[in-house]
């Protein structure tokens, strides 16, 4: 699904906002089949060339630098994580909201610089996950959780907050597997999650379908070398959204594996959730996550154009235009809203007017879409 043709390279600086939107790329240059040509056309230092080449070839890049996270108080971070209710499940989601140390790791200037260099777009850190121990997560591509339109503008960064040994269930990943197509549920023959239970993990179908996904994805890894990340504290690994990865089995339950994952989107993209979307029919579950740096909602623009989201049941079709969408009360949208967000069932918001009121009062701030 990687675009085979590439648009001519703009003569302007890539960060220049006056770049005509028609020249914005449809694929990150490091994921383009013509990467080598694109590399030649950029006048890069030896170091930057080899970083770009590595990421393009392998789908990940390891950054080892003794002082990368010197400004982070790891003990304060650990105290926060241990006291958090999520620690019982070994997963603290979006701890950055209350823990400045987690936010510092997510917004590390050197990491952001490298990501922006690799993707040639302004980066938007939007989700953090903190772990105390190995996750033992089965192999997957983050694409299935978070993706973008245009495609492949999403990446993750895994950071070791202590030395990682084989016993503690290190991260594993398959070198070069990002070059596979972005496998959606439709590509794999997995049934679409029905709207009735809502498009979330509360819906029991979500877990069932995800288990099927993990089983089918396990069949895709054999051509690629499996790597295991046993590294020193402070090492970071940037992975492409389509790189297959997971958590190794934990051999010794008494051993911790303190680590943080941050997920990143990019400006001028629409953020979608493929596992809840019908990718083949272009019916999308859309999210509007919070930018960690600014605390503002990420805009869902498509290469400079405004998006108009037309509900079709709980999902959306997307149209683009030069004008922003004016969101008004609309009974049809309200029906779709209540279908999409099943947690509102039975609440005082479960009427057409109530749904619009919920969206204005709470939904916008929670990243919901009307
Ligand atoms: O840390 C791990 O074991 C895997 C985490 C992961 O896959 C993720 O957060 O996307
Ligand atoms: Fe992941």
């Amino acid at each position: 699904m990687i675009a085979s043709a590439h648009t001519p390279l703009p003569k302007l600086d890539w960060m220049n906002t006056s770049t005509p939107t028609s020249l914005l790329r449809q694929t990150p240059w490091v994921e383009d089949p013509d990467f080598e040509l694109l590399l030649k056309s950029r006048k890069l230092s030896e170091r930057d060339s080899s970083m770009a080449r590595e990421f393009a070839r392998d789908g990940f890049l390891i950054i080892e630098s003794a002082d990368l996270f010197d400004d982070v108080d790891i003990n304060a971070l650990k105290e926060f994580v241990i006291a958090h209710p999520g620690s019982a499940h070994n997963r603290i989601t979006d701890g950055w909201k209350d823990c400045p140390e987690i936010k510092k790791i997510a917004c590390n200037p050197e990491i952001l610089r490298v990501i922006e260099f690799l993707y040639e777009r302004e980066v938007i850190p939007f989700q953090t996950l903190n772990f105390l121990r190995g996750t033992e997560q089965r192999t997957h591509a983050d694409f299935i959780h978070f993706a973008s339109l245009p495609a492949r503008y999403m990446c993750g960064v895994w950071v070791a907050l202590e030395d990682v040994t084989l016993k503690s269930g290190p991260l594993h990943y398959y070198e070069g597997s990002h070059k596979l197509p972005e496998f959606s549920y439709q590509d794999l023959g997995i049934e679409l999650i029905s709207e009735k239970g809502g498009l979330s993990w509360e819906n029991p179908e979500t877990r069932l379908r995800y288990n099927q996904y993990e089983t089918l994805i396990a069949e895709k890894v054999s051509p690629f070398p499996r790597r295991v990340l046993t590294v020193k504290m402070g090492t970071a690994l940037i992975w492409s959204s389509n790189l297959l990865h997971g958590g190794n089995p934990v051999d010794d339950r008494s051993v911790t594996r303190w680590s943080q994952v941050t997920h990143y989107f990019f400006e001028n993209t629409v953020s979608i959730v493929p596992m809840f979307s019908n990718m083949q029919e272009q019916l999308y579950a859309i999210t509007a996550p919070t930018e960690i740096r600014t605390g503002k909602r990420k805009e869902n623009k498509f290469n400079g154009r405004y998006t108009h989201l037309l509900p079709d049941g709980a999902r959306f079709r997307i149209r683009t235009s030069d004008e922003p969408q004016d969101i008004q009360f609309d009974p049809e949208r309200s029906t779709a809203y209540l279908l999409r967000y099943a947690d509102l069932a039975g609440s005082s918001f479960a009427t057409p007017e109530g749904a619009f009121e919920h969206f204005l009062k709470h939904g916008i701030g929670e990243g919901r879409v009307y």
Side-chain angles (χ1 to χ4, degrees):
M1 265 191 228
I2 302 175
S4 54
H6 68 272
T7 43
L9 193 68
K11 294 275 182 293
L12 298 160
D13 176 17
W14 62 270
M15 283 291 240
N16 185 338
T17 48
S18 64
T19 301
T21 54
S22 58
L23 294 183
L24 287 173
R25 299 188 52 79
Q26 299 291 336
T27 309
W29 72 294
V30 284
E31 304 243 11
D32 195 298
D34 285 333
F35 167 74
E36 282 296 334
L37 265 177
L38 296 171
L39 181 63
K40 264 199 202 128
S41 69
R42 287 157 172 75
K43 306 268 171 291
L44 298 178
S45 67
E46 193 87 0
R47 181 173 174 265
D48 284 355
S49 290
S50 69
M51 280 202 307
R53 194 173 266 133
E54 222 176 288
F55 191 74
R57 184 192 60 213
D58 302 334
F60 67 88
L61 185 67
I62 294 176
I63 300 182
E64 278 166 302
S65 158
D67 55 4
L68 193 56
F69 299 105
D70 266 4
D71 62 331
V72 178
D73 181 343
I74 298 281
N75 286 329
L77 183 153
K78 287 183 177 176
E79 269 173 36
F80 171 84
V81 166
I82 288 169
H84 195 282
S87 65
H89 312 105
N90 187 32
R91 178 178 288 257
I92 285 81
T93 304
D94 288 331
W96 64 270
K97 290 178 179 167
D98 300 305
C99 176
E101 307 312 312
I102 293 176
K103 187 169 170 175
K104 274 189 223 164
I105 294 173
C107 303
N108 178 282
E110 177 60 11
I111 302 273
L112 298 189
R113 193 200 70 79
V114 175
I115 295 176
E116 289 191 338
F117 159 69
L118 292 173
Y119 283 84
E120 296 190 333
R121 278 195 195 204
E122 195 173 303
V123 66
I124 299 173
F126 73 92
Q127 190 203 51
T128 59
L129 298 171
N130 285 82
F131 306 112
L132 301 82
R133 295 179 296 282
T135 66
E136 300 192 320
Q137 243 179 283
R138 292 172 71 190
T139 304
H140 61 278
D142 282 354
F143 157 79
I144 206 70
H145 300 276
F146 302 115
S148 67
L149 303 171
R152 292 178 183 253
Y153 283 98
M154 206 294 281
C155 71
V157 175
W158 193 99
V159 177
L161 303 181
E162 67 178 324
D163 294 357
V164 184
T165 64
L166 262 183
K167 280 195 287 192
S168 64
L171 182 80
H172 68 251
Y173 45 98
Y174 290 89
E175 192 175 305
S177 58
H178 66 303
K179 293 195 175 170
L180 285 167
E182 295 179 308
F183 290 116
S184 68
Y185 281 10
Q186 290 73 50
D187 296 325
L188 297 168
I190 300 171
E191 207 182 319
L192 187 66
I193 291 168
S194 69
E195 302 170 341
K196 270 197 305 222
L199 303 183
S200 79
W201 283 93
E202 313 282 296
N203 185 340
E205 287 179 21
T206 301
R207 171 52 62 190
L208 290 174
R209 304 282 189 274
Y210 193 71
N211 290 348
Q212 278 178 285
Y213 166 81
E214 289 172 323
T215 302
L216 292 166
I217 278 293
E219 294 170 9
K220 307 287 185 192
V221 302
S222 55
F224 306 100
R226 182 184 171 104
R227 306 283 181 224
V228 171
L229 195 68
T230 48
V231 286
K232 289 264 172 246
M233 172 167 170
T235 305
L237 178 143
I238 306 174
W239 70 63
S240 141
S241 63
N242 205 38
L243 188 81
L244 295 176
H245 66 275
N248 254 19
V250 178
D251 292 342
D252 181 346
R253 302 254 154 220
S254 68
V255 182
T256 56
R257 196 210 68 179
W258 285 95
S259 45
Q260 175 166 326
V261 170
T262 309
H263 289 121
Y264 299 84
F265 277 129
F266 296 85
E267 64 164 356
N268 265 315
T269 65
V270 183
S271 299
I272 60 172
V273 184
M275 63 193 290
F276 294 129
S277 303
N278 186 338
M279 302 294 285
Q280 252 160 29
E281 302 278 331
Q282 300 180 8
L283 276 172
Y284 300 110
I286 305 221
T287 72
T290 303
E291 303 188 19
I292 296 179
R293 276 194 284 188
T294 60
K296 295 205 179 104
R297 289 276 140 199
K298 172 186 175 290
E299 255 192 296
N300 277 317
K301 275 191 165 180
F302 183 94
N303 278 3
R305 288 174 65 78
Y306 291 101
T307 49
H308 292 238
L309 305 178
L310 314 175
D312 182 327
R315 300 177 175 87
F316 294 98
R317 292 187 190 285
I318 299 175
R319 300 280 174 275
T320 64
S321 81
D322 295 328
E323 299 294 324
Q325 183 174 4
D326 181 18
I327 299 178
Q328 306 276 5
F329 171 69
D330 172 347
E332 267 182 50
R333 282 184 184 274
S334 283
T335 306
Y337 189 79
L338 294 172
L339 204 53
R340 197 172 306 123
Y341 304 116
D343 57 313
L344 301 183
S347 78
S348 60
F349 295 112
T351 63
E353 289 76 14
F356 188 55
E357 189 192 335
H358 181 276
F359 171 66
L360 295 177
K361 272 195 185 153
H362 310 289
I364 296 175
E366 293 164 3
R368 305 193 197 219
V369 196
Y370 183 66

